Amino acid sequence: MLFKKLLRTARSYKAQFISMLIMITLGVGIFLGFNMEWRTIEYDTSRFFENTNYADYRLYSAGGFTKEELEKIVAIDGVDAATRYLTVNLDVEGSKNKALAVDVSENFTVSTFVVISGNEYDPEGDGVWLSDKFAAANGISLGDEISLSFRNSAITGRVSGLIKSGEHMICVADNNQLMPDYNTFGFAYISPAKLKAAVEERLVSGYAEELIKNGMSAADAAKASKTMLSEEAKTEALDKIYAQINLISDMGKAELEEAVKAALGKTIMVTSKDDHIVYKEAMGEAEEGKTMGSILPVLFLAIAILTMVTTMHRIAAKEKQQIGTLKALGFKNRRILLHYTSYGLFIGLTGSAIGVGLGYLVCKAIMSENGMMGTYFDMPDWTAAMPVFCYPVIALTVALLTLISYLSVLKQLKGSAADALRPYTPKESKRALSNV
Amino acid sequence: MEIVQFDNVSRIYVSGDHELRALDRVSFTLDEGKFVVILGPSGAGKSTLLNLLGGLDSPNEGKITVDGRDISKLSDNELADYRASTVGFVFQFYNLIPTLTAYENVNLVSEISANALDAKDMIAKVGLLDHLDNFPSELSGGEQQRISIARALAKNPKILLCDEPTGALDSETGVMVLKLLLDMAKEYGKTIVVVTHNQNIAKMADTVIRVKNGKIRSIEEQSNPLSAEEVEW
């Protein structure tokens, strides 16, 4: 019977109940939405970085790195994986103002990619693994041929796979570009074999040009350049092109710098992922979200709770005679408290449940492929994640709302049943500035 | 047979330095099955007396025995049990739960009383079977008071306590309600205590207790009480 009363009372106070529900829903929804946003950035990007072996450190050398040097880096205690790496911006031939960051991860243990469609990575492959977003923006399909300008020649290949890569999660040409624009700039990976072939081809054609300049016929120069170039010259040219080593390690930067210096016998420029635009920007967005999530939503939640305090107090005061009647009939205080406390529990649970849904929508409006961050981050998976502390915060909010109801009714139950039956009289307020 | 015994009962209200003796060393007894009217002007202490008898309040001094049980020192929970099992209330302004129908208001007491009578039967007795599903706001004052009487009787209490039961009703409805109260009390063998300032109602009582300034002025036994219809309003 009292449950019926609960529902009907809720209906008779529908304006108050709805306003409390809205406030709790907004409070919980905005609190969750903002906090889920930064947690989702952290969760999704870190998973993506892990899946694509995002480099913790990048070593740079203008003269390139040899295979022996790579082996010495790999041998450092604390380095989990390392690869010679190339990333270079190349223009797309036949298109105006279109360019690709072309990457090669020599042993494909660091700074790799995930295939969205098409063929898996093949270290001997002749194809091009192209950014799926660039392909979509430019109408390029699997199997289409793409040609990239490379040192007065071209690297040409068919699109083997459409991919996403942690290294290019925020795909901008350089620090001056604020937002990705896949119409004009994307990224692609080629195999080390294809790079080697392109470098050698460029080396041979360069050597032939030199021979022609020295008076040799074009046909003889072409033949001669192919046979006269030594393997050492080819290796040297390839080494020079790998100006970067990307590695995965939990070591500190200073410690790694020392270890690299000791291993290679020279000082090498080392940058951590904190300096890499993708990681820096992603973590910056998460930090920004954390700041937002700790101020605005808390304010909303506090307002929601205050609304509950005043509204529940008003409802309890209005219900005082009914509380008194129940008490006079013989209902025990515990039963009456339980009945009226369930109002707060009902509002808390319902508001929080809708709030969780709202929070999810807020989070998805920001962090999804079609959301605000969808134009900035290029990730394969957009799974919403909630910070662990949100669970106790929601539970505490529901508990607090229940407690507010409990205390509001307890106040009306104080004293004898005869006291409870008397109409509510507000406390006499003290005169302020009475002598003025 | 005595069902109520007040022995030097006082109820004192303290507000700051001020002390008000709403009831001052009151002693009396009531017999079972009688219709008792407690008469007095406003502020005489009659409602305080009813509150103490109904377990809605506790005395500061003295002893109240109801049906052989001392109720003056009971805890909150014990008083709630006492109210649920021994007394039924009929209030001046009915005190029905506005969000429950007539039937639900009467049936509500079945949740607290082990000996509760059938709610529908009680509503039939007060002649409101057609209004089972009406909310209090859909009933007239007289109908609400009849539902209130049905609710009080549905608990199957030993004593029915009525605080100005006709105070908010016109005279015609008042007579009808009083007649109903008397008839029902007779049928179910209940003791009825009515608090009122209306001298006419006293003419219907077996016992009239006059209260003034927190003290009992007189206790009269009437051998030939009038019926509700005979009372001139």
Side-chain angles (χ1 to χ4, degrees), chain B residues 8-133:
Chain B
N8 273 319
V9 173
S10 296
R11 181 67 177 101
I12 304 159
Y13 294 104
V14 180
S15 171
D17 297 335
H18 188 65
E19 191 178 271
L20 173 72
R21 279 189 170 263
L23 221 53
D24 190 8
R25 290 186 290 274
V26 167
S27 297
F28 65 88
T29 57
L30 300 179
D31 287 341
E32 193 171 2
K34 299 285 184 184
F35 179 42
V36 181
V37 168
I38 298 173
L39 200 64
S42 289
K46 53 188 189 301
S47 288
T48 305
L49 199 152
L50 196 79
N51 286 345
L52 293 175
L53 179 54
L56 297 175
D57 203 356
S58 296
N60 301 88
E61 296 165 2
K63 186 176 169 186
I64 303 169
T65 310
V66 178
D67 199 25
R69 185 185 186 193
D70 180 4
I71 64 160
S72 44
K73 299 279 187 289
L74 295 183
S75 68
D76 270 1
N77 274 346
E78 286 169 333
L79 276 176
D81 286 336
Y82 165 75
R83 290 192 297 270
S85 62
T86 313
V87 291
F89 287 96
V90 177
F91 299 98
Q92 181 178 0
F93 296 106
Y94 336 122
N95 287 42
L96 297 175
I97 304 295
T99 46
L100 296 181
T101 62
Y103 172 76
E104 289 162 351
N105 261 289
V106 178
N107 198 35
L108 183 65
V109 297
S110 67
E111 294 189 14
I112 44 166
S113 174
N115 303 316
L117 303 173
D118 184 72
K120 220 172 190 177
D121 285 351
M122 285 299 106
I123 294 172
K125 294 276 183 195
V126 299
L128 290 173
L129 257 185
D130 293 344
H131 295 78
L132 283 178
D133 297 326

Side-chain angles (χ1 to χ4, degrees), chain A residues 1 8 327 329 335 418, chain B residues 56 83 99 104 111 155:
Chain A
M1 202 70 67
R8 289 184 191 149
K327 200 168 172 174
L329 286 176
R335 184 90 186 270
Chain B
L56 297 175
R83 290 192 297 270
T99 46
E104 289 162 351
E111 294 189 14
K155 275 203 288 184

Side-chain angles (χ1 to χ4, degrees), chain A residues 292-313:
Chain A
M292 289 277 280
S294 61
I295 301 170
L296 185 70
V298 173
L299 208 65
F300 258 87
L301 212 52
I303 292 170
I305 289 166
L306 282 177
T307 307
M308 184 80 180
V309 170
T310 52
T311 314
M312 266 320 292
H313 173 76

Side-chain angles (χ1 to χ4, degrees), chain A residues 59 72-73 76 254-270:
Chain A
L59 314 184
K72 286 176 185 173
I73 299 295
I76 293 172
E255 189 190 359
L256 181 70
E257 277 175 334
E258 282 301 311
V260 168
K261 190 177 176 185
L264 302 183
K266 58 183 177 183
T267 304
I268 294 289
M269 183 185 169
V270 178

Side-chain angles (χ1 to χ4, degrees), chain A residues 242-357:
Chain A
Y242 281 120
Q244 201 173 319
I245 286 179
N246 287 7
L247 62 89
I248 295 171
S249 170
D250 291 332
M251 294 168 80
K253 189 182 173 190
E255 189 190 359
L256 181 70
E257 277 175 334
E258 282 301 311
V260 168
K261 190 177 176 185
L264 302 183
K266 58 183 177 183
T267 304
I268 294 289
M269 183 185 169
V270 178
T271 62
S272 76
K273 63 183 176 185
D274 297 323
D275 301 318
H276 192 240
I277 187 166
V278 171
Y279 188 83
K280 194 166 81 177
E281 286 295 312
M283 292 307 112
E285 288 290 340
E287 281 303 316
E288 205 175 285
K290 271 183 196 173
T291 311
M292 289 277 280
S294 61
I295 301 170
L296 185 70
V298 173
L299 208 65
F300 258 87
L301 212 52
I303 292 170
I305 289 166
L306 282 177
T307 307
M308 184 80 180
V309 170
T310 52
T311 314
M312 266 320 292
H313 173 76
R314 225 174 289 156
I315 289 177
K318 268 185 142 180
E319 290 274 305
K320 186 172 186 291
Q321 278 201 298
Q322 285 189 53
I323 291 169
T325 302
L326 291 174
K327 200 168 172 174
L329 286 176
F331 282 89
K332 288 183 178 157
N333 286 357
R334 195 181 55 228
R335 184 90 186 270
I336 298 169
L337 275 169
L338 196 69
H339 170 66
Y340 281 96
T341 300
S342 61
Y343 286 42
L345 184 68
F346 171 76
I347 291 167
L349 285 176
T350 313
S352 296
I354 305 172
V356 169

Side-chain angles (χ1 to χ4, degrees), chain A residues 388-403:
Chain A
V388 176
F389 70 81
C390 285
Y391 294 102
V393 166
I394 294 171
L396 273 175
T397 304
V398 174
L400 191 61
L401 299 176
T402 311
L403 182 68

